[in-house]
Amino acid sequence: MPLQATMRGLPGSFLSVLKMYRGYYCRRSYGVLTGQQNTSSDSQQYDGRLYPSHIPTSSVQKAILAVGSGVAALNNPYRHDMVAVLGETTGHQALIKLRERMRNDSEGCTILVERPRIRLSTLDLTQMCALPDGTLGREYLRFLEENRVTPDSRADVKFVDDEELAYVMQRYREVHDLLHTLLGMPTNILGEVAVKWFEAAQTGLPMCVLGATLGPLRLSVSRLQLLVQTLGPWALRSGSRARCVLSIFYERRWEQNLDELRHQLNIEPPPVNLIPSSKNTSSNS
């Protein structure tokens, strides 16, 4: 999306901060294209930045970004770029706690060391497609296909001023679709809100709490009743009791049965089925 389109309709002070850092993208792109990047091992490798996509900001600038992105996200919850900025500028303390949970988990600690990424380039789609129904890999691939989404759509972290915490935030983004798979939730508003309730209890990220609080306002009366009486309590209960979902090396568990993985993570099966069976759909058409 062009920068002008991204900025349209946003507060002036918010735009001024974004424009101030527009040059970072140009310099980074120039360095990548021409090969004129510093190869030193310290922060000077990225011209004083902590990682390639990092945009340094002061506390005041973060506050402006948080308010501006929050307003934009409230006006249009599908502005994933604004939701991403809101998460990065408000989630520092929650990210610290998530990192500690990962460090205290042997599998999570391995993830912090190896830094795996969930991208199309890292997935063996042929192998995953050949897996039996009910396995994590096959159901995750089915989710991507049926909802026409890709893990490559997750934006790189920019405003987190700690390299390791930036990876924790990136990992959170890249496992979001896996949470939909684990929880059996679709990508409609009800499904997204249920996932946000789980994530709010699991991560404590302010962005998730805000989405869990305001998301229900967009639901119909019948779906709000389903959320409050059934899906919400289940999501909050599972999110608070489950093992840290960022500490799971999903890339090494594609062949694992989905129900077995839920049991290991202490996630209750979804109380209602919101995803129509593709087999049933095809047979009725």
Side-chain angles (χ1 to χ4, degrees):
M1 178 182 295
L3 185 60
Q4 290 82 357
T6 302
M7 290 180 171
R8 192 175 296 122
L10 300 179
S13 56
F14 178 55
L15 298 183
S16 65
V17 174
L18 285 183
K19 290 178 181 178
M20 187 184 306
Y21 293 97
R22 192 176 185 180
Y24 279 97
Y25 294 101
C26 299
R27 289 197 295 273
R28 182 162 64 94
S29 299
Y30 177 80
V32 171
L33 291 173
T34 61
Q36 297 178 12
Q37 289 180 293
N38 194 329
T39 58
S40 63
S41 59
D42 55 26
S43 63
Q44 292 181 353
Q45 178 178 0
Y46 307 120
D47 295 329
R49 290 168 288 141
L50 301 177
Y51 46 91
S53 59
H54 181 223
I55 299 178
T57 47
S58 67
S59 298
V60 173
Q61 290 162 343
K62 278 188 175 58
I64 295 173
L65 287 168
V67 172
S69 60
V71 171
L74 287 176
N75 288 334
N76 183 1
Y78 293 100
R79 285 292 302 273
H80 300 298
D81 52 344
M82 295 295 98
V83 174
V85 172
L86 179 64
E88 293 174 28
T89 54
T90 61
H92 183 72
Q93 292 303 319
L95 289 173
I96 291 176
K97 294 178 180 178
L98 285 170
R99 179 176 62 181
E100 289 308 305
R101 292 183 68 182
M102 295 179 73
R103 286 177 174 177
N104 292 327
D105 184 291
S106 58
E107 196 171 355
C109 189
T110 301
I111 291 172
L112 287 176
V113 172
E114 297 188 16
R115 304 288 179 88
R117 296 291 302 273
I118 301 177
R119 316 285 289 181
L120 285 179
S121 60
T122 66
L123 300 177
D124 189 336
L125 300 180
T126 301
Q127 181 184 21
M128 294 172 70
C129 189
L131 290 172
D133 290 343
T135 57
L136 173 65
R138 186 67 191 91
E139 298 308 318
Y140 173 58
L141 184 59
R142 193 191 316 278
F143 172 85
L144 296 179
E145 292 171 342
E146 293 183 350
N147 292 281
R148 299 181 181 181
V149 296
T150 167
D152 291 356
S153 64
R154 301 299 171 185
D156 289 334
V157 175
K158 301 177 181 68
F159 299 107
V160 176
D161 295 331
D162 181 287
E163 188 268 342
E164 191 171 45
L165 294 182
Y167 175 75
V168 174
M169 175 60 82
Q170 192 71 47
R171 186 67 175 176
Y172 158 75
R173 286 181 184 167
E174 293 180 6
V175 305
H176 176 79
D177 290 335
L178 278 161
L179 292 185
H180 274 275
T181 305
L182 278 171
L183 300 174
M185 290 293 109
T187 57
N188 58 23
I189 296 179
L190 179 59
E192 290 290 357
V193 172
V195 172
K196 276 290 175 281
W197 281 40
F198 177 92
E199 289 178 339
Q202 167 79 194
T203 69
L205 286 166
M207 169 193 65
C208 298
V209 175
L210 183 65
T213 302
L214 300 180
L217 300 178
R218 303 176 63 86
L219 295 172
S220 65
V221 174
S222 60
R223 295 200 167 199
L224 180 60
Q225 184 177 20
L226 178 60
L227 176 71
V228 172
Q229 295 181 353
T230 306
L231 287 177
W234 160 76
L236 292 175
R237 188 169 58 248
S238 293
S240 60
R241 295 178 180 177
R243 179 180 167 190
C244 179
V245 293
L246 303 188
S247 296
I248 308 304
F249 218 134
Y250 300 98
E251 299 90 328
R252 297 178 180 176
R253 293 173 176 259
W254 296 133
E255 299 179 1
Q256 186 171 3
N257 180 270
L258 190 57
D259 290 332
E260 176 186 303
L261 180 57
R262 285 184 184 132
H263 179 72
Q264 289 183 2
L265 300 184
N266 202 23
I267 295 176
E268 301 174 20
V272 293
N273 181 18
L274 298 181
I275 302 178
S277 171
S278 58
K279 295 181 180 179
N280 293 339
T281 302
S282 60
S283 63
N284 294 333
S285 59

